[in-house]
Amino acid sequence: MESVPIRLQCGAPQALQSAIEQAKQNGNPTEILLQEGIYRLKEPIKIHDCKTPLSIHPAEGATAVLTAAQPVTAPFQKWEQDGIYYAEIGAGQEIQAVFVNGEPYTMCRYPNEQPWEILGGYAKDALSKERVARWQNPAGGYVRALHEHEWGGNSFRILGKNPDGSLRLDWVGDNNRGDGISNTFVMVENIFEELDAPGEWFYDRADGRLYLIFRL
């Protein structure tokens, strides 16, 4: 049976899911042709339960890109601290990576990135009382560490501070043998006060600001 072509124009990524649903219902083999451009998806494409042949590919001669990356259209403004800029991009977003002119930036961290080291860099004082005291509101940050026996990794979400000034942590369950952490191999990231190096970024989910320090 000859496939039924559905042509999608760039700039209408939501139409892709609609076309897939249409393919599920019509019972015929379906060919979804993507025209030239970038299709920016705000949610995963769902193809499950499709019982007929389905293909999704660029139209002849076209280059089509499916991506979850969203452009920052808001202007960057200088923050009160030299070298830091911010843009109002909206609260509550899930940001995993930031690219500036195609170049990947690093989520702000302590210690600063050392790609050749374990965890990309580690420091014994990453969770010291003195360091934690510098953080006004660390909620939304992360602790990354090796397990206390150093056979694997452990990660924690920072929920805030306890009355005694210690961190309130939520173990993400990234291994099956407990949540103890090494006293040596540990780092923290996505804490505003640790935004201090060119090429780093920080996103505040509460106020919707993306902060970064541009590389020169």
Side-chain angles (χ1 to χ4, degrees), residues 6-24 30-35 38-47 54-58 64-67:
I6 299 177
R7 299 182 181 276
L8 294 185
Q9 297 294 328
C10 181
Q14 69 278 3
L16 178 54
Q17 187 64 57
S18 297
I20 292 172
E21 297 304 318
Q22 180 182 337
K24 292 179 183 180
T30 303
E31 183 181 24
I32 298 177
L33 303 176
L34 304 177
Q35 303 303 310
I38 299 176
Y39 296 75
R40 298 190 182 277
L41 306 175
K42 294 188 176 181
E43 58 184 34
I45 299 170
K46 302 174 184 177
I47 309 180
L54 170 67
S55 65
I56 303 172
H57 59 85
V65 176
L66 297 178
T67 177

Side-chain angles (χ1 to χ4, degrees), residues 157-190:
R157 300 180 188 90
I158 301 176
L159 303 180
K161 288 186 180 182
N162 295 311
D164 65 358
S166 62
L167 293 177
R168 187 157 46 94
L169 302 175
D170 176 33
W171 180 45
V172 304
D174 47 358
N175 65 68
N176 63 354
R177 298 184 185 178
D179 58 357
I181 66 174
S182 167
N183 291 324
T184 300
F185 300 104
V186 60
M187 55 84 76
V188 295
E189 59 185 355
N190 204 47

Side-chain angles (χ1 to χ4, degrees), residues 55-135:
S55 65
I56 303 172
H57 59 85
E60 184 176 357
T63 298
V65 176
L66 297 178
T67 177
Q70 302 297 323
V72 174
T73 57
F76 277 91
Q77 308 173 58
K78 284 186 177 182
W79 193 63
E80 58 191 48
Q81 183 175 327
D82 288 345
I84 296 179
Y85 291 77
Y86 71 91
E88 306 278 1
I89 65 171
Q93 300 193 48
E94 297 293 338
I95 299 179
Q96 298 178 354
V98 170
F99 291 80
V100 177
N101 295 325
E103 184 180 1
Y105 273 39
T106 301
M107 184 184 292
C108 64
R109 49 170 291 155
Y110 177 79
N112 288 337
E113 189 175 31
Q114 303 161 35
W116 56 90
E117 292 285 4
I118 294 172
L119 300 172
Y122 59 88
K124 289 184 177 181
D125 68 337
L127 298 179
S128 67
K129 290 183 178 180
E130 294 76 14
R131 190 148 212 102
V132 172
R134 298 174 59 242
W135 305 336

